[in-house]
Amino acid sequence: FNNLPTKPKKLGIQVFENYDLAELSNYIDWTQFFSTWQLAGKFPAILEDEIVGKEAKKLYKDAKALLQQVIDENWLEARAVIGIFPANASTDDDIEVYANDERTEVKAVLKNLRQQRKKAPGQPNLALTDFLAPKDSGVQDFIGSFAVATGFGIEEHVKRFEADQDDYNAILLKALADRFAEAFAECMHLRMRKEFWGYAADENLDNNDLIKEEYK
């Protein structure tokens, strides 16, 4: 191993409640938002598209207005749980997760499925296990995970729209909540890299780079 794993700045579990929606809005992938409405094209170019541009502009204007209302009036609650743990690959497919950095107690064993599709000769069918140092290498490695959700509180607002026979805004709100969840995952992943784990503390990417997965 020429590059030893970076020891995380903070091990264990952290819980986040009422995460700032305004912050999360900066990570929204609008291209996928338009795809939900079956409008094909990359944002922001889609707004000027000869075929769907007019409809895309109207939808974007409506979405931004509702998005601001959701943020200003706290319609949704975003919650997350993240964890970083000492871990090593124990077999070809398994990962041992340890209770502490002494690594004397196995907290859990993660069973990993390898890629199943046929590949060209010489190309391996990878599993997550391949990205951790083997236990018998003596290299201390780690694994991180996170779960996010942003739909808490959405039901009353969807029901209100539906009671007013406003299916458009009901669907629009659901689509925004979906985008918030994806944005939250992007945000937590970034904070993992730069802050909680810290293996890419100097990373400086814009949202387009994040969407393209240009990070380490």
Side-chain angles (χ1 to χ4, degrees):
F1 286 83
N2 295 323
N3 296 309
L4 294 176
T6 300
K7 184 170 182 177
K9 293 181 178 179
K10 188 169 185 177
L11 291 172
I13 294 172
Q14 295 184 68
V15 178
F16 300 85
E17 297 181 347
N18 287 306
Y19 202 92
D20 185 8
L21 295 177
E23 179 184 343
L24 297 183
S25 68
N26 296 319
Y27 297 92
I28 289 178
D29 181 354
W30 287 104
T31 295
Q32 291 302 317
F33 170 80
F34 288 112
S35 179
T36 301
W37 294 79
Q38 298 184 333
L39 295 175
K42 288 189 176 181
F43 178 84
I46 191 174
L47 302 178
E48 306 301 328
D49 186 88
E50 292 183 2
I51 299 174
V52 302
K54 183 178 179 180
E55 186 62 31
K57 279 183 178 178
K58 180 184 182 302
L59 179 60
Y60 184 57
K61 180 180 178 181
D62 292 344
K64 291 286 283 186
L66 185 58
L67 175 68
Q68 195 59 53
Q69 187 173 10
V70 168
I71 293 171
D72 291 344
E73 300 178 11
N74 294 310
W75 282 14
L76 304 177
E77 182 184 349
R79 304 176 190 170
V81 180
I82 70 170
I84 309 176
F85 311 95
N88 281 105
S90 60
T91 69
D92 287 343
D93 298 324
D94 292 352
I95 295 172
E96 286 187 357
V97 181
Y98 305 108
N100 52 54
D101 210 12
E102 280 67 49
R103 299 168 188 258
T104 55
E105 178 187 346
V106 177
K107 186 78 171 178
V109 176
L110 306 181
K111 303 288 184 178
N112 294 278
L113 183 67
R114 292 197 166 273
Q115 294 169 326
Q116 299 295 296
R117 63 187 177 88
K118 290 185 179 180
K119 292 190 174 185
Q123 292 193 2
N125 288 67
L126 296 173
L128 183 61
T129 318
D130 298 325
F131 296 88
L132 278 88
K135 182 179 180 179
D136 59 11
S137 71
V139 174
Q140 295 190 340
D141 214 339
F142 305 87
I143 193 166
S145 61
F146 53 88
V148 302
T150 57
F152 299 102
I154 194 174
E155 292 85 359
E156 64 175 288
H157 302 289
V158 170
K159 288 179 180 178
R160 186 178 69 251
F161 283 132
E162 290 176 344
D164 292 337
Q165 298 184 337
D166 187 354
D167 291 338
Y168 173 67
N169 273 302
I171 296 171
L172 190 59
L173 178 58
K174 292 176 184 178
L176 287 174
D178 178 67
R179 287 299 90 208
F180 263 128
E182 290 287 347
F184 204 0
E186 196 74 77
C187 175
M188 283 290 99
H189 193 192
L190 182 144
R191 293 191 68 185
M192 276 277 206
R193 296 191 302 274
K194 296 187 67 173
E195 185 180 345
F196 305 126
W197 194 321
Y199 63 82
D202 296 329
E203 177 186 301
N204 186 23
L205 303 175
D206 62 23
N207 201 38
N208 286 330
D209 291 329
L210 296 179
I211 291 169
K212 294 176 184 176
E213 300 182 357
E214 297 289 344
Y215 42 75
K216 182 178 178 182

